[in-house]
Amino acid sequence: MAMRDRGTKPDKLTFPFLVKACSKLLALKEGRQIQVEILKHGLATDVYVQNTLIHFYGCCRQISDARQVFDEMSFRTVVSWNSIIKACTENLKIDDSFAIFAEMRSCGVEPDEATMVVLLSACAEVGNLSLGKWVHCQVIVKGIVLNCQFGTALVDMYAKCGALDFARILFDRMIEKNVWTWSAMILGFAQHGLANEGRSGRLTEAYDFIMQMPFEPDPVIFRTLLSACSVHDVKGRSEITEKVAKRLMELEPTRSGNLVMVANMYADVGSWAEAGIVRTVMRGRGLKKVAGESSVEVGGSICRFFSGYDSNIDSDNINHLLDGLSLNMKLIVTMLFDFPLERALTKQKNILERAYLHWA
């Protein structure tokens, strides 16, 4: 406003700073107003301005607007392509990310390090290990140095895709690591059940390990440790569980998933009053449980599954098989807590036989 009052005319370097500020604040209304000013000053076709607009709309989850800006560009740089691919990836439009990358290659645009990092993030989101390995090969061929940012993206991709051996090798070879690198490795171990490797099986040691890291632990790390507490501290006797839950609530007080996890942990140990309080807090804040989603690559195709929605015509057969596998895992608990093993085995046998008949 002071700039206007002095009669100074904004140029192509002025608006990108304003748009970036709106991106950080997620100020959609103000960002649209700035775009109107960009049009008035005849700067709508400047590539630098357009790139920041794509980033802005991606941050505000307005993918159609981001794509419109991209499609209307008469000239695109590699930053333009990276911006729209990143916008799609961060908004879980993974198929669009891959399609745009293919278009990028067909247009003869050479991807850079930033492109590879964004693609690895997309591969991690859907568990596409094959494409992730291809990206890694391209990096090796291009001779791109394994810096902290790129190394972290590779560790994250391999860990989320279940290739923990590759993730661990890269993690150990990285000279420089930051909090995101540690988070990716710890989360990967926790997700795939290697509690001892992730140090989540020994809760006190895990907590001390996290607190002594050379970085401030982020919510992902505390969420991972809390998940481990739900497995290894089922009776809620450890003070670590309370410390971790409290710290996580301080860092992310409005994330519904955290509150759901805490409520479930209270319910598992019979603390129904505490569980009820947590759910009351959720209702008071207008928070709802987000449906779970997972994906897996099978034969080169990505299959996506949503909690409570069975789009697959064979979902009944799949559920029968999963029931059998789930019961098989629960047999371990029966041996530890004197559950009637014979009854459990009989039920498991019936479920597995029924699943086999459906799939045979």
Side-chain angles (χ1 to χ4, degrees):
M1 296 301 293
M3 185 177 183
R4 278 185 170 183
D5 294 339
R6 294 177 182 177
T8 305
K9 185 178 180 181
D11 58 15
K12 64 181 182 180
L13 299 178
T14 307
F15 288 112
F17 286 105
L18 296 174
V19 175
K20 286 180 181 179
C22 292
S23 300
K24 291 183 178 180
L25 298 173
L26 302 180
L28 180 60
K29 180 180 178 181
E30 291 77 4
R32 291 191 187 280
Q33 292 173 343
I34 292 173
Q35 187 177 16
V36 172
E37 293 297 318
I38 291 172
L39 290 168
K40 289 180 180 178
H41 287 81
L43 298 172
T45 57
D46 180 81
V47 65
Y48 185 42
V49 173
Q50 290 173 313
N51 289 343
T52 54
L53 282 172
I54 294 172
H55 173 69
F56 160 69
Y57 280 122
C59 291
C60 293
R61 299 187 176 278
Q62 303 296 313
I63 294 299
S64 59
D65 291 313
R67 189 60 196 256
Q68 182 177 349
V69 174
F70 178 79
D71 290 340
E72 292 176 353
M73 296 179 73
S74 58
F75 172 74
R76 299 166 181 155
T77 65
V78 67
V79 176
S80 309
W81 291 93
N82 291 345
S83 296
I84 189 63
I85 293 174
K86 182 179 181 181
C88 292
T89 300
E90 291 181 345
N91 288 275
L92 302 181
K93 302 290 185 180
I94 308 301
D95 292 340
D96 292 342
S97 300
F98 294 148
I100 293 172
F101 175 70
E103 183 184 351
M104 176 185 183
R105 296 299 301 272
S106 66
C107 291
V109 180
E110 192 68 19
D112 62 5
E113 179 183 332
T115 314
M116 299 304 186
V117 170
V118 175
L119 280 178
L120 286 172
S121 178
C123 294
E125 285 294 334
V126 297
N128 194 327
L129 182 60
S130 299
L131 183 58
K133 286 183 176 181
W134 179 85
V135 174
H136 192 181
C137 290
Q138 293 298 306
V139 170
I140 295 173
V141 171
K142 293 177 181 295
I144 297 177
V145 179
L146 187 68
N147 57 24
C148 185
Q149 181 188 24
F150 192 74
T152 299
L154 280 170
V155 170
D156 183 58
M157 184 276 294
Y158 279 120
K160 287 183 177 177
C161 291
L164 294 177
D165 291 340
F166 287 108
R168 186 58 186 265
I169 291 172
L170 286 165
F171 180 83
D172 291 338
R173 290 182 179 179
M174 289 178 64
I175 298 174
E176 180 187 358
K177 303 181 182 75
N178 60 18
V179 66
W180 302 109
T181 317
W182 288 90
S183 298
M185 195 70 255
I186 293 173
L187 184 59
F189 283 131
Q191 285 180 331
H192 296 283
L194 300 182
N196 291 330
E197 292 285 351
R199 297 177 180 261
S200 55
R202 295 171 289 186
L203 300 181
T204 302
E205 181 183 352
Y207 181 79
D208 293 340
F209 171 74
I210 289 172
M211 298 309 294
Q212 293 170 8
M213 285 171 55
F215 312 98
E216 182 69 22
D218 69 344
V220 175
I221 291 181
F222 281 110
R223 196 156 49 246
T224 302
L225 184 55
L226 186 62
S227 177
C229 290
S230 67
V231 175
H232 299 281
D233 187 30
V234 292
K235 296 185 180 297
R237 295 173 178 171
S238 173
E239 295 180 359
I240 300 301
T241 301
E242 184 177 350
K243 289 181 180 179
V244 174
K246 181 180 179 181
R247 183 60 180 142
L248 187 58
M249 293 302 102
E250 292 173 351
L251 292 173
E252 292 183 328
T254 60
R255 184 184 175 93
S256 61
N258 296 338
L259 292 167
V260 170
M261 188 184 302
V262 173
N264 289 341
M265 289 182 69
Y266 280 131
D268 288 340
V269 296
S271 299
W272 302 109
E274 288 82 356
I277 292 173
V278 175
R279 295 195 179 279
T280 300
V281 170
M282 287 183 64
R283 286 193 293 270
R285 295 178 181 176
L287 302 176
K288 296 182 180 180
K289 182 179 179 180
V290 180
E293 176 187 346
S294 62
S295 58
V296 63
E297 179 191 7
V298 180
S301 300
I302 302 297
C303 301
R304 306 182 74 177
F305 300 90
F306 300 89
S307 178
Y309 173 68
D310 295 327
S311 61
N312 195 303
I313 58 175
D314 291 326
S315 59
D316 289 339
N317 297 338
I318 293 173
N319 287 332
H320 282 309
L321 188 59
L322 289 176
D323 285 341
L325 293 173
S326 177
L327 186 57
N328 188 49
M329 290 185 289
K330 289 180 180 179
L331 287 176
I332 299 174
V333 179
T334 68
M335 300 178 71
L336 295 175
F337 296 101
D338 297 326
F339 184 84
L341 184 59
E342 184 176 353
R343 187 174 65 185
L345 286 171
T346 301
K347 184 177 180 181
Q348 182 207 29
K349 181 175 180 291
N350 291 337
I351 290 177
L352 288 176
E353 285 178 347
R354 191 163 63 249
Y356 175 78
L357 290 174
H358 277 290
W359 282 87

